[in-house]
Amino acid sequence: MAEFRFIHSSDLHLGRRFAAMPEEIRPHLAEARHGAIARLAEAARAHGAAHVLLAGDVFDTPTPSPRVLVQALNAFGAEEALTWWVLPGNHDSLGAEALWAEVAARAPANLRLLDRAEPVEMAAGVWLLPAPLPRKFPGYDLTGWMTGAETPAGALRIGLAHGAVRSFDEEDARVDEVIPPDRAETARLDYLALGDWHGQMSLGPRTWYAGTPERDGFRHEGRGACLAVTLPGPGAAPQVAAVDTGLYHWADTELSLLPGQDAAEALTEALPEGRARRRDHLLRLRATGRTTLAGRAALEGAAAQASPDFGYFELDTSALGTEHELSDLDAIDRAGALRIAAERLAEAAEDTATTERDRQVASAALNRLYGLLQEGEA
């Protein structure tokens, strides 16, 4: 039979509100998620694929707004040359009966809702074995049925599931739900397309997490992507290639500093080149090591100057220690009440007999005092 090509994606989370982000960037991030539908279609055309597999969590909640739902279905329907295969995940499980009833009533002809665990013929000689989530926490491995599923001899077998092959969060482990990492082999699958993990991950030549097409947090850096998959024939190794689809680039970068180092210059060197391209970057810089009071003030000044270039910019100095040099204390005051207060704060910040929390509070107060006085002199 001829080779079969498709796009594997998951975790669009349409309708995500991004409540933890500043208000001014939230609508842009939400729109980028909606736009991922068109970018997935573009990836399919470039790959010569007529099918897109969405391995769960198309919607962020079981109750997306009518605007999010209808506009998503319109976007799917606009790509008439493609067939979209939609699997309910843990965020939008089949337990959301009203949601999927509305999808069924409004779905365009090129969208196929996979709401049953049974083989579905995608194309001549190609069978899809879906594992839709009946509820958010099903309590068992939903791919187990695939091992005994019958398909015509010589057909390609593609599994589609949403869940973990190991616990991604040890505090929230549900062992009974974990998908065996060898499911592709035990179920005789040519490819197992997984969703749930938002980064791309290979568990072997036949088992992949596609990751989200548009990043939604700092846990997975870079831009979102999908997988372009080619199955040469039954039993042959899949050909899998990552295709960038994300608009926003997320980065969580450590900025290690040493006393005496020019902290402002170090920050500038850590920033991506090309100020015009920073608008689509979301950057969190975590300053570590130690610097002086003057160095910290210069660092925060450089951060304030760079911040407007970015879609989102955060400087985290919670792990940055401070060296309290005599020249820094002199800059606060050479004598009098302010000098006494500064010296006491410096001593408290370095007093190992107190708690780490108390030392941090004292250091933060000293940094604030220094900064206020420098602002007053500017």
Side-chain angles (χ1 to χ4, degrees), residues 4-35:
F4 183 71
R5 298 184 178 191
F6 61 93
I7 294 296
H8 169 200
S9 186
S10 71
D11 298 279
L12 275 68
H13 287 275
L14 300 175
R16 174 156 290 187
R17 297 182 180 275
F18 295 96
M21 301 298 288
E23 185 174 355
E24 62 184 0
I25 190 66
R26 293 177 198 167
H28 300 287
L29 296 177
E31 179 58 27
R33 304 205 73 76
H34 175 80

Side-chain angles (χ1 to χ4, degrees), residues 196-324:
D196 189 30
W197 184 244
H198 287 199
Q200 287 189 346
M201 183 191 305
S202 170
L203 302 168
R206 301 183 185 279
T207 304
W208 285 77
Y209 282 96
T212 177
E214 185 68 44
R215 294 277 188 256
D216 53 8
F218 290 105
R219 186 173 189 176
H220 303 287
E221 296 192 36
R223 298 184 188 274
C226 66
L227 294 174
V229 183
T230 300
L231 300 181
Q239 300 167 8
V240 183
V243 180
D244 287 342
T245 52
L247 287 184
Y248 285 95
H249 184 285
W250 296 68
D252 185 353
T253 303
E254 180 178 348
L255 179 64
S256 181
L257 299 173
L258 296 172
Q261 182 180 6
D262 187 328
E265 181 180 349
L267 181 143
T268 300
E269 292 177 350
L271 301 179
E273 296 181 0
R275 297 183 66 171
R277 295 190 296 113
R278 293 177 183 174
R279 186 174 184 270
D280 61 1
H281 278 63
L282 292 89
L283 177 62
R284 180 166 64 193
L285 279 179
R286 292 176 294 102
T288 61
R290 300 183 72 80
T291 189
T292 62
L293 283 173
R296 182 184 286 262
L299 178 70
E300 293 176 349
Q305 185 175 5
S307 178
D309 290 344
F310 292 84
Y312 173 80
F313 182 92
E314 173 188 348
L315 175 64
D316 180 358
T317 60
S318 61
L320 179 64
T322 305
E323 297 281 351
H324 304 110

Side-chain angles (χ1 to χ4, degrees), residues 156-237:
L156 287 171
R157 293 165 60 92
I158 302 171
L160 185 63
H162 185 92
V165 292
R166 58 179 174 80
S167 174
F168 295 136
D169 184 348
E170 295 301 328
E171 296 181 356
D172 192 27
R174 289 179 290 275
V175 177
D176 292 342
E177 297 178 13
V178 172
I179 300 169
D182 63 347
R183 176 60 72 214
E185 288 71 32
T186 60
R188 310 177 311 284
L189 301 175
D190 293 286
Y191 185 85
L192 177 56
L194 295 176
D196 189 30
W197 184 244
H198 287 199
Q200 287 189 346
M201 183 191 305
S202 170
L203 302 168
R206 301 183 185 279
T207 304
W208 285 77
Y209 282 96
T212 177
E214 185 68 44
R215 294 277 188 256
D216 53 8
F218 290 105
R219 186 173 189 176
H220 303 287
E221 296 192 36
R223 298 184 188 274
C226 66
L227 294 174
V229 183
T230 300
L231 300 181

Side-chain angles (χ1 to χ4, degrees), residues 51-120:
H51 300 267
V52 180
L53 305 187
L54 300 178
D57 287 355
V58 170
F59 299 101
D60 190 54
T61 73
T63 56
S65 70
R67 181 182 300 275
V68 168
L69 173 60
V70 172
Q71 291 184 3
L73 295 178
N74 290 343
F76 289 129
E79 305 294 343
E80 297 178 354
L82 296 178
T83 300
W84 303 85
W85 301 86
V86 175
L87 185 81
N90 61 307
H91 279 250
D92 53 7
S93 74
L94 289 172
E97 296 180 1
L99 165 62
W100 296 115
E102 189 72 9
V103 169
R106 293 177 173 268
N110 62 338
L111 187 147
R112 297 289 301 275
L113 173 61
L114 301 165
D115 56 358
R116 297 182 181 181
E118 61 184 26
V120 178

